[in-house]
Amino acid sequence: MKKNRWKSLLMNRKILFAMTAILFSLNALAQQITVTGQVLDAQKEPLIGVSVLEKGTTNGAITDLDGNVTLKVAPNAILVFSYVGYKTQEVKASSQMQVILAEDNEVLDEVVVIGYGSVKRKDVTTSISTVSTKDLDQRPIVSAGQALQGKAAGVSVMQPNGQPGGEMSIRVRGTTSMNGSNDPLYVVDGVPVDNIKFLSPNDIESMQILKDASSASIYGSRAANGVILITTKAGATGNAKVSLTAQFGLNKVASKMEALNSSQYKELQDEIGLVTLPEGLPDRTDWFDETFSTGNTQNYQISVSNGNDKMKYYISAGYLNEKGVLDISYYKRYNFRVNLDNQIRSWLNVSANISYSDYSSNGGGAMGTGANRGGVILAVVNTPTYAPIWDSLNPGQYYNNFYGVSNITNPLENMARSENNKDRENRLLASGNVLLTIIPQLKFKSTFTIDRRNAISTTFLDPVSTAWGRNQYGEGSDSRNMNTVLTFDNVLTYNQNFKKHGLEVMAGSSWTDSDYTNSWINGSHYRNDLIPTLNAANKISWTDTGSGASQWGIMSFFARAAYNYDSKYLFTANVRADGSSKLHPDHRWGVFPSFSAAWRLSSEAFMEDLTWVDDLKIRGGWGQTGNQSGIGDYAYLQRYNINRVDWTEKGQENAVPTISQANLRTSDLKWETTTQTNVGLDLTVLNGRLTINMDYYYKKTKNMLMNVSLPAGAAVSTTIARNEGEMTNKGFELAVSSKNFRGAFGWDTDFNISFNKNKLTKLELQKVYYDAKTSDFTNDYVVRNEPGRSLGGFYGYISDGVNPETGELMYRDLNKDGKISTSDRTYIGDPNPDFTYGMTNTFSWKGFNLSIFIQGSYGNDIFNASRIETEGMYDGKNQSTRVLNRWRIPGQITDVPKAGFDLKNSTYFIEDGSYLRLKDVSLSYNFQGKLLKKWGITRLQPYFTASNLLTWTSYSGMDPEVNQWGNSGSVQGIDWGTYPHCKTFVFGLNVEF
């Protein structure tokens, strides 16, 4: 009886508690208020996408296309309004609100990413450039490297050729190594990587370039060429956001090469006297039109992001398909990214960044060689127009009956030789981070990363259609490699601010391990073109088939201490020690220190009356960085070649390979070290309307790692790796950013200009290096590198024009011995520019935005080796229409010599490579309206962009931005049948909801 009574009482209490909770909940809901408001800028224009958050909660919303927002909040709630480029405001909630956000002109409070940390821009003591990423989704760029071109002082970015997906040549403050890599170190979300081909530009949130040693030395041995820090996008607190970018573009060759017609070609050949042609040859084929077509680009990217105070995520996927102006050339990329951030506890944060990309390409055939060796571009001019494409007497074969001329193959046949070539790579870059907040001032971060790359390169040439294929009975190859790089970083950071003092101390370690494997196989003698794989080849090469492997590792320890007093006096010191497996244990470790300081004059009392000066700071720094990229994975060890023995010979059935010495051991190799001094000035005036940054630097590289040639027969190896020389770079940089107009009409200008002087100052064992042979006819190097001069200098004869009486080019007799010989050669050109520059003007009016970006180079020379093939007039190949001006009769005044003239590498082929290019013009419009608001669309922005629209240059080639030697440090500015750049017209659409 008592038990039943207690049960009844308990049940009544539960019911009472439940009813009470419901009443309180209803009362709380009844007490909530609905806020309806509009957010405007200073010109009373609505702001789209402003984050509105109830302070202290995760309850929030974003403004629509009209700047309106509706949100239910607690009474007396404080609303936090935040928007990029505007100052954050906190306003007490009311039922009807109108909030005007003020522009945030305090660029000085912008947070800048630095090595293993971040700092406010106003407290930067080193030389760091930030590249704007706000217009990346409106430009037809394929790689993140293109986003840097013309955008940062001291950073030279060149696209050596126009191949789809082509690599960029990026130099931070000049060339520092002759044989080693001159590429900067890329750090993506804190992970060092060797290239950024895998990265979609639309995933980039920010880009910073560490230019001087005092900023880059924290990365030690891998930072000699500067560091580019890239941070990808992350989720943000607020409503979920879906973004879609779609682009479609058309590509056209910017300029056309004109070739002689059949009658002009016959007339020329009659003068040369090597080929006898019949009369009346027709003009059957325009090889330019047959070779080049209209390319196109498709680029699509979708992303989803969201977050709250505990969890944030960003997920994206993209597809790029770039089809070149040569039909067989293309570049495709699929990319996928997930960025996660989870605040598990107030003291524990866990994050992960996962990126996967798959890209494939075909470069479009042989470039940088003559038509007789498969060169596609030069064959466009060199192939006579009387020739048809196909041989009517031999179906399925390209025409090659050129009246006894054996060194011509038409450009379509040359493309066919590479048509089935395919380079493919997939890359997985995954990192996990754990951040422990031990106390508010002390944090520990641990990061583990795997960077895995799988690459496959395959080729196939059928045994029928091309002359080379018939000669080889068809041929194919398969080359594969896998590279896995593991990185484990641990960083402890202590930050403490007390009164006017600020102190940061950081220490850490980094372990990197690389494991590389590769295999290759080649075959020939195919029956037909039906099966392009190697199982259909009757012969598998036993001398050109095999596998290999290599490993390397680096162990590093680093530390930084930074102190500032009232943001007026700032000091930073870094040190990093790197130990590399590539070097002998006695010389394995390199220590790279740096120091920098800054003085903010604008905070001094004597500057108080200069109210128009917002900020004035003087910076100075010194530091060292290292480089080991010029040597192999086992550079200090004795290595051997394995030589297979032909087991098909009688008596050799069970033979084993022989070995032979492969190198001269150099166990005393040291780190290549670059020491840099930098002095800079930062000035912001007129309430943030004008910002000026200036830097002067001096860099000296010692103990350059080089492969030195040895005299023939002096040793078993023809080269030896050693610390060989020294090089200097000095320069001046200026960057100016101005906000010219503010209001309904806006106009911003960003301008930068860079001067750099490079000089090779010392070589020890080998005093002169020759490089870059071009034409088989001249068979001579055109580049000479020696101490006292800039890298890449062109070397040859000085041409004094055409002799009116003989038609020969006149070469200067420099040694006055009465004859022209190799001793009359001298330096005839310099590929290094005096300065490079870029300027962006951005205009906005209501929903319209217009961006005009120009970029250029001044003072650099180009060696136009293509003209040797198209104007040389030395054999049976067709020539360009410029030879119509050739000398023909005594007394004729012309600048083109006679047919069959004495052709040498000379100033005749040196041209001014200076140019000014209208790089990008982009026009967009942001649509607004009630219908879009109803559909929940916060951004609807169609745009049109034209790239490489106009180029002002005196260069006669297809494009002045060229180097057939690609990213070489010792060879620059040579045009030799290089894949041309294109004009691009892109239509795009950005949508967010």
Side-chain angles (χ1 to χ4, degrees):
M1 189 79 176
K2 190 180 284 187
K3 284 184 179 179
N4 291 336
R5 191 180 300 137
W6 278 108
K7 283 184 179 179
S8 177
L9 183 60
L10 261 165
M11 183 62 69
N12 290 335
R13 285 184 175 179
K14 287 181 179 179
I15 294 171
L16 180 62
F17 286 147
M19 292 180 65
T20 304
I22 291 170
L23 286 171
F24 273 115
S25 298
L26 291 172
N27 184 49
L29 289 171
Q31 289 180 355
Q32 277 191 325
I33 63 172
T34 300
V35 175
T36 302
Q38 186 179 37
V39 183
L40 308 172
D41 62 14
Q43 288 72 43
K44 302 298 178 69
E45 293 287 336
L47 291 175
I48 307 166
V50 176
S51 172
V52 183
L53 185 69
E54 182 179 356
K55 189 173 182 178
T57 73
T58 59
N59 180 34
I62 59 175
T63 58
D64 60 19
L65 292 170
D66 298 319
N68 294 325
V69 65
T70 301
L71 185 66
K72 288 186 177 181
V73 298
N76 301 318
I78 301 297
L79 299 183
V80 181
F81 295 81
S82 59
Y83 192 57
V84 176
Y86 291 80
K87 293 181 179 179
T88 299
Q89 288 192 32
E90 295 186 5
V91 183
K92 185 177 180 181
S94 61
S95 57
Q96 295 290 330
M97 303 180 69
Q98 186 181 78
V99 177
I100 298 176
L101 292 186
E103 287 189 35
D104 185 5
N105 290 323
E106 281 296 325
V107 179
L108 304 176
D109 287 332
E110 172 192 356
V111 175
V112 176
V113 178
I114 59 175
Y116 302 101
S118 60
V119 65
K120 287 186 177 181
R121 178 167 293 281
K122 67 179 181 179
D123 294 334
V124 169
T125 60
T126 57
S127 182
I128 299 177
S129 287
T130 299
V131 176
S132 173
T133 59
K134 63 183 179 182
D135 64 341
L136 291 189
D137 58 5
Q138 298 177 43
R139 295 173 58 196
I141 60 176
V142 174
S143 71
Q146 290 175 278
L148 298 170
Q149 189 170 32
K151 296 290 187 176
V155 183
S156 171
V157 181
M158 186 185 77
Q159 190 169 355
N161 60 68
Q163 288 182 359
E167 296 282 354
M168 306 295 291
S169 174
I170 301 177
R171 297 281 189 275
V172 178
R173 293 185 167 179
T175 301
T176 57
S177 185
M178 188 167 164
N179 287 149
S181 171
N182 285 282
D183 292 335
L185 173 68
Y186 302 99
V187 180
V188 180
D189 293 327
V191 180
V193 295
D194 58 347
N195 68 65
I196 47 177
K197 196 172 183 179
F198 69 96
L199 183 62
S200 169
N202 290 328
D203 282 334
I204 297 175
E205 179 68 31
S206 66
M207 301 177 74
Q208 270 89 36
I209 301 112
L210 311 184
K211 298 185 293 186
D212 66 343
S214 52
S215 61
S217 66
I218 196 68
Y219 289 103
S221 65
R222 306 172 75 179
N225 306 315
V227 181
I228 296 179
L229 301 178
I230 299 176
T231 304
T232 58
K233 294 177 180 178
T237 302
N239 290 346
K241 182 173 74 173
V242 179
S243 300
L244 172 66
T245 298
Q247 293 180 349
F248 179 79
L250 298 174
N251 310 320
K252 291 284 289 183
V253 177
S255 60
K256 183 175 182 178
M257 297 185 294
E258 298 287 349
L260 299 176
N261 62 32
S262 293
S263 62
Q264 294 166 340
Y265 170 68
K266 174 177 168 42
E267 186 178 4
L268 172 64
Q269 292 305 319
D270 289 344
E271 292 180 33
I272 297 175
L274 296 178
V275 182
T276 302
L277 297 170
E279 298 287 345
L281 288 173
D283 290 305
R284 291 191 178 94
T285 310
D286 185 325
W287 292 108
F288 187 94
D289 290 344
E290 293 292 339
T291 303
F292 295 106
S293 59
T294 300
N296 62 72
T297 301
Q298 298 180 66
N299 191 7
Y300 308 101
Q301 173 115 348
I302 187 170
S303 66
V304 180
S305 61
N306 197 7
N308 52 40
D309 58 344
K310 293 293 185 182
M311 181 73 179
K312 299 180 180 67
Y313 68 85
Y314 172 85
I315 303 173
S316 72
Y319 168 71
L320 169 73
N321 186 357
E322 185 181 7
K323 182 179 177 298
V325 292
L326 297 179
D327 281 339
I328 67 170
S329 63
Y330 71 90
Y331 176 73
K332 289 184 180 180
R333 182 181 65 212
Y334 302 86
N335 57 274
F336 177 76
R337 171 172 292 276
V338 177
N339 291 348
L340 303 172
D341 187 282
N342 192 358
Q343 190 71 43
I344 298 176
R345 296 288 187 272
S346 60
W347 52 272
L348 176 60
N349 180 279
V350 176
S351 61
N353 301 81
I354 302 171
S355 169
Y356 176 80
S357 59
D358 189 305
Y359 37 93
S360 60
S361 64
N362 183 323
M367 308 292 160
T369 189
N372 59 313
R373 295 183 179 272
V376 175
I377 304 301
L378 293 175
V380 172
V381 172
N382 290 156
T383 307
T385 60
Y386 68 77
I389 297 172
W390 297 100
D391 188 343
S392 60
L393 300 178
N394 297 286
Q397 296 183 16
Y398 288 97
Y399 181 87
N400 62 4
N401 181 18
F402 295 103
Y403 297 96
V405 180
S406 60
N407 61 347
I408 298 177
T409 51
N410 76 58
L412 299 187
E413 178 173 354
N414 286 343
M415 279 198 291
R417 289 172 61 170
S418 305
E419 183 176 6
N420 295 305
N421 295 358
K422 183 178 182 180
D423 294 316
R424 180 179 177 182
E425 181 171 290
N426 59 70
R427 187 168 190 174
L428 173 67
L429 184 65
S431 64
N433 306 274
V434 176
L435 178 63
L436 299 176
T437 303
I438 302 169
I439 57 176
Q441 298 83 11
L442 185 63
K443 296 182 179 181
F444 175 76
K445 185 176 183 180
S446 185
T447 303
F448 184 79
T449 302
I450 180 171
D451 182 2
R452 172 162 289 177
R453 299 167 61 180
N454 285 281
I456 303 174
S457 178
T458 58
T459 68
F460 172 71
L461 177 59
D462 72 79
V464 177
S465 62
T466 68
W468 181 253
R470 292 191 294 274
N471 180 69
Q472 302 297 103
Y473 299 94
E475 59 182 9
S477 69
D478 188 306
S479 177
R480 303 176 180 229
N481 65 74
M482 182 175 73
N483 191 30
T484 302
V485 179
L486 302 178
T487 305
F488 185 39
D489 291 346
N490 292 278
V491 181
L492 185 67
T493 305
Y494 176 78
N495 271 291
Q496 179 65 59
N497 294 309
F498 44 98
K499 296 183 179 180
K500 294 184 178 183
H501 304 273
L503 176 67
E504 182 207 60
V505 179
M506 180 272 289
S509 67
S510 179
W511 168 84
T512 302
D513 179 80
S514 173
D515 192 349
Y516 174 84
T517 59
N518 67 325
S519 62
W520 62 96
I521 183 171
N522 289 265
S524 63
H525 290 71
Y526 285 80
R527 184 182 184 88
N528 51 43
D529 63 349
L530 298 180
I531 303 175
T533 51
L534 284 164
N535 60 304
N538 196 51
K539 283 188 177 181
I540 297 297
S541 173
W542 61 276
T543 57
D544 200 11
T545 296
S547 63
S550 65
Q551 295 177 313
W552 61 264
I554 295 178
M555 186 66 205
S556 308
F557 301 95
F558 49 86
R560 175 172 60 227
Y563 168 79
N564 82 73
Y565 175 77
D566 198 23
S567 289
K568 185 189 298 185
Y569 310 112
L570 306 108
F571 305 91
T572 304
N574 298 282
V575 65
R576 180 165 177 140
D578 285 321
S580 170
S581 65
K582 296 183 179 183
L583 301 175
H584 190 277
D586 292 343
H587 306 283
R588 178 159 292 171
W589 286 91
V591 179
F592 307 102
S594 72
F595 310 93
S596 60
W599 175 27
R600 176 163 284 107
L601 282 77
S602 54
S603 296
E604 298 291 356
F606 61 79
M607 295 284 291
E608 288 180 354
D609 294 335
L610 301 178
T611 56
W612 54 275
V613 176
D614 303 321
D615 185 68
L616 175 59
K617 181 175 64 178
I618 297 176
R619 296 176 281 104
W622 174 94
Q624 292 184 329
T625 49
N627 195 354
Q628 59 163 356
S629 62
I631 55 177
D633 291 348
Y634 306 103
Y636 74 94
L637 294 173
Q638 178 65 65
R639 302 183 300 279
Y640 295 88
N641 294 318
I642 298 176
N643 309 298
R644 289 192 178 123
V645 175
D646 189 354
W647 54 267
T648 62
E649 294 183 6
K650 188 175 181 179
Q652 300 287 347
E653 293 85 355
N654 297 309
V656 296
T658 63
I659 63 171
S660 59
Q661 188 174 340
N663 69 303
L664 293 177
R665 187 178 181 185
T666 48
S667 58
D668 59 345
L669 290 177
K670 303 175 183 177
W671 286 95
E672 179 179 300
T673 304
T674 298
T675 303
Q676 184 176 177
T677 302
N678 187 93
V679 178
L681 181 144
D682 301 327
L683 174 65
T684 303
V685 298
L686 304 177
N687 196 26
R689 297 287 291 271
L690 180 64
T691 301
I692 299 172
N693 306 104
M694 293 184 288
D695 282 275
Y696 171 81
Y697 61 88
Y698 178 79
K699 299 169 65 175
K700 185 170 185 177
T701 302
K702 289 186 175 182
N703 296 318
M704 287 197 306
L705 291 165
M706 301 176 64
N707 292 311
V708 181
S709 298
L710 298 174
V716 294
S717 177
T718 59
T719 62
I720 182 173
R722 55 178 276 122
N723 297 101
E724 172 69 1
E726 298 180 1
M727 188 185 307
T728 62
N729 284 274
K730 57 183 178 181
F732 174 75
E733 304 164 358
L734 172 66
V736 179
S737 178
S738 65
K739 300 175 181 179
N740 307 315
F741 287 99
R742 278 288 175 261
F745 173 74
W747 174 21
D748 294 347
T749 300
D750 295 292
F751 171 77
N752 69 83
I753 188 168
S754 306
F755 301 82
N756 183 77
K757 184 64 176 178
N758 167 272
K759 181 184 286 188
L760 182 62
T761 58
K762 181 181 179 182
L763 290 174
E764 293 185 355
L765 188 62
Q766 183 178 341
K767 299 300 183 181
V768 177
Y769 286 77
Y770 290 95
D771 212 332
K773 277 189 178 181
T774 54
S775 168
D776 292 339
F777 184 80
T778 56
N779 193 31
D780 195 8
Y781 296 106
V782 74
V783 170
R784 173 177 162 131
N785 289 305
E786 66 176 331
R789 302 193 62 88
S790 300
L791 279 185
F794 300 133
Y795 196 74
Y797 299 86
I798 296 176
S799 170
D800 290 321
V802 178
N803 188 320
E805 298 304 319
T806 65
E808 285 285 358
L809 269 186
M810 297 181 292
Y811 298 111
R812 193 173 300 177
D813 182 10
L814 292 181
N815 63 3
K816 308 297 183 183
D817 64 355
K819 60 182 180 180
I820 301 300
S821 63
T822 56
S823 59
D824 291 312
R825 293 179 300 171
T826 186
Y827 286 95
I828 57 176
D830 185 354
N832 298 280
D834 295 335
F835 59 86
T836 59
Y837 55 94
M839 183 170 68
T840 302
N841 281 282
T842 305
F843 306 91
S844 60
W845 180 70
K846 295 187 176 179
F848 288 98
N849 288 278
L850 175 65
S851 176
I852 301 174
F853 170 38
I854 63 173
Q855 172 262 333
S857 175
Y858 179 81
N860 56 294
D861 294 320
I862 295 176
F863 185 81
N864 192 344
S866 297
R867 287 177 50 204
I868 296 177
E869 304 287 344
T870 61
E871 300 175 21
M873 299 180 286
Y874 56 80
D875 63 5
K877 295 194 292 288
N878 198 9
Q879 304 287 275
S880 75
T881 54
R882 188 169 185 268
V883 303
L884 293 174
N885 298 324
R886 66 187 178 275
W887 181 95
R888 305 192 194 198
I889 59 173
Q892 181 180 350
I893 305 298
T894 180
D895 60 352
V896 180
K898 68 177 183 179
F901 71 98
D902 181 18
L903 193 159
K904 304 178 187 295
N905 288 337
S906 71
T907 54
Y908 182 67
F909 302 107
I910 298 291
E911 299 186 43
D912 182 7
S914 304
Y915 70 90
L916 168 61
R917 171 168 285 160
L918 186 55
K919 190 69 177 179
D920 286 309
V921 177
S922 184
L923 177 64
S924 65
Y925 181 75
N926 289 313
F927 280 97
Q928 301 179 17
K930 293 182 179 179
L931 184 60
L932 295 178
K933 176 183 175 182
K934 180 180 178 182
W935 290 345
I937 298 176
T938 57
R939 182 187 186 190
L940 180 62
Q941 182 190 47
Y943 61 89
F944 171 75
T945 300
S947 296
N948 300 329
L949 193 60
L950 294 170
T951 302
W952 291 272
T953 182
S954 61
Y955 181 60
S956 66
M958 297 186 75
D959 195 277
E961 186 182 352
V962 65
N963 183 21
Q964 182 53 43
W965 266 250
N967 206 14
S968 170
S970 57
V971 181
Q972 305 168 54
I974 294 182
D975 188 354
W976 188 25
T978 311
Y979 196 116
H981 290 268
C982 301
K983 291 181 180 180
T984 303
F985 304 93
V986 173
F987 301 88
L989 179 67
N990 293 318
V991 182
E992 289 182 3
F993 54 90

